[in-house]
Amino acid sequence: MILQFITLHQAKINIFELFLGHFFNMATTLEKKIYHNSSILLLLYFLAGCSHYRTPDPMRPAHLATVLRSDSLCRSIEHSRHASELLAASINKGITKSPTYMHDHNLPPGTYNRPSVTANVQKEKRCKLVVTFKNEDIKVQYSLQKVAHTNENGSLTYSYPETILFHDDFMKKYGYDHAVMEPDQQAGAPDRPTSENGDRISLWIRQHMVYPPEARQAGIEGYTAVKFWLSRQGDIRSLRFIKSSGNILLDNATMNMFMGKKIPVDPRQKIPSPLNIKINYYLAPSH
């Protein structure tokens, strides 16, 4: 969308340059000087008229209430520099903080910080977009909400948070599994194990996580924390819960993932044990 405007913009500039060249060839030296000065002003005016973005920005904070009220979200995003910058920053962060990117660059596994559920939402509008980012077409939704806040004196004020939601295709491509492994910091566990075997363990867990279909359909979320020891051959021993999710479906999914299993570790390398593992079960945003 934005690239189309850039292409049109460049085409107009080329036409304008041909127009200037024709008259430069016909002008005298003095006329050239006069024309050169005035052509600079004309070019600036010309470029301002071709700008894809509107001034003032239709997605400026003071105007968000009007955008939401007039149902003009998609049209406003198209002509907003702020919206364009927010989309680019969100997509860049989504990629560079993804589990896939972290793994490829030997960084600790990333987790998806899903948009928090906001109370007192009075109204919400979403706009489906396909954004071209570094030669990749990415499907997103641009969400704009009206949220009520009660002050100490009982009066109401409103905020208009903007959120970028990613399509499931993006979540899967960049390793944002529905269940995400992360260290159990609350239980006093060590940081992510570092070593070749630590990487093998982390990869094995990511590959064997399963979100229970019944829990997914019912919208059940939560987290479990378990503790176990590994033998030199990678056998999981003395598995026990540190923290139950409070839901039998999620608890059973975690227990079944580890119980009686064997993780392919290298016995010649240091084997981190015991391990405290926290499994988050979060549903990706709907699209």
Side-chain angles (χ1 to χ4, degrees):
M1 177 174 58
I2 294 176
L3 292 180
Q4 292 176 347
F5 278 91
I6 293 175
T7 303
L8 177 61
H9 193 168
Q10 185 61 47
K12 290 184 177 181
I13 291 175
N14 292 339
I15 295 172
F16 188 77
E17 288 175 345
L18 291 175
F19 176 79
L20 290 181
H22 174 72
F23 281 93
F24 264 115
N25 291 333
M26 298 176 60
T28 64
T29 301
L30 179 60
E31 289 171 335
K32 284 181 180 180
K33 292 181 180 179
I34 298 173
Y35 190 79
H36 176 74
N37 293 333
S38 56
S39 65
I40 293 176
L41 297 176
L42 180 60
L43 178 60
L44 293 175
Y45 177 80
F46 179 81
L47 293 177
C50 293
S51 176
H52 166 54
Y53 301 113
R54 292 178 179 170
T55 302
D57 194 311
M59 294 293 289
R60 63 192 183 277
H63 198 248
L64 291 178
T66 302
V67 171
L68 199 57
R69 188 167 53 248
S70 62
D71 294 332
S72 60
L73 179 60
C74 290
R75 186 169 62 254
S76 299
I77 291 172
E78 181 179 348
H79 298 286
S80 169
R81 184 181 300 276
H82 161 74
S84 178
E85 292 173 349
L86 177 59
L87 285 164
S90 299
I91 293 173
N92 182 67
K93 182 178 180 180
I95 293 174
T96 57
K97 297 297 183 181
S98 69
T100 297
Y101 183 93
M102 294 292 191
H103 180 266
D104 292 344
H105 293 78
N106 297 318
L107 298 171
T111 58
Y112 173 59
N113 295 322
R114 59 192 295 274
S116 59
V117 178
T118 306
N120 300 321
V121 176
Q122 304 291 306
K123 188 174 183 180
E124 180 183 24
K125 289 292 180 181
R126 293 188 180 185
C127 179
K128 294 183 179 181
L129 302 167
V130 178
V131 181
T132 301
F133 184 83
K134 296 183 178 179
N135 298 320
E136 179 182 357
D137 290 337
I138 299 175
K139 296 179 183 179
V140 300
Q141 287 190 56
Y142 197 114
S143 168
L144 175 62
Q145 295 179 332
K146 178 182 179 180
V147 179
H149 305 275
T150 304
N151 300 318
E152 294 181 356
N153 60 6
S155 62
L156 290 178
T157 56
Y158 300 95
S159 63
Y160 297 87
E162 302 162 83
T163 307
I164 306 302
L165 306 174
F166 293 106
H167 192 277
D168 282 352
D169 292 345
F170 179 93
M171 304 294 286
K172 293 175 182 177
K173 177 176 181 179
Y174 288 100
Y176 288 108
D177 301 306
H178 287 286
V180 181
M181 188 277 287
E182 64 180 20
D184 183 14
Q185 301 291 355
Q186 290 86 350
D191 292 335
R192 174 178 178 263
T194 57
S195 69
E196 291 184 14
N197 278 332
D199 291 336
R200 290 188 179 94
I201 294 169
S202 297
L203 180 61
W204 185 92
I205 291 174
R206 287 176 55 194
Q207 291 175 339
H208 288 78
M209 291 184 298
V210 177
Y211 206 114
E214 299 87 351
R216 187 198 306 271
Q217 294 172 5
I220 298 172
E221 300 179 324
Y223 76 88
T224 60
V226 295
K227 183 175 184 178
F228 58 84
W229 279 256
L230 281 179
S231 71
R232 299 298 298 176
Q233 289 71 39
D235 297 303
I236 296 176
R237 297 176 177 175
S238 303
L239 174 67
R240 64 182 178 86
F241 270 113
I242 297 175
K243 172 71 171 64
S244 167
S245 67
N247 181 272
I248 191 171
L249 295 173
L250 302 185
D251 287 352
N252 285 344
T254 299
M255 192 60 69
N256 291 336
M257 182 172 69
F258 293 107
M259 184 176 293
K261 299 302 193 304
K262 183 175 182 177
I263 300 177
V265 295
D266 185 348
R268 298 169 298 178
Q269 302 286 334
K270 181 180 179 181
I271 298 177
S273 189
L275 286 170
N276 293 350
I277 303 297
K278 178 181 175 182
I279 305 294
N280 283 331
Y281 293 93
Y282 288 155
L283 294 172
S286 58
H287 60 280

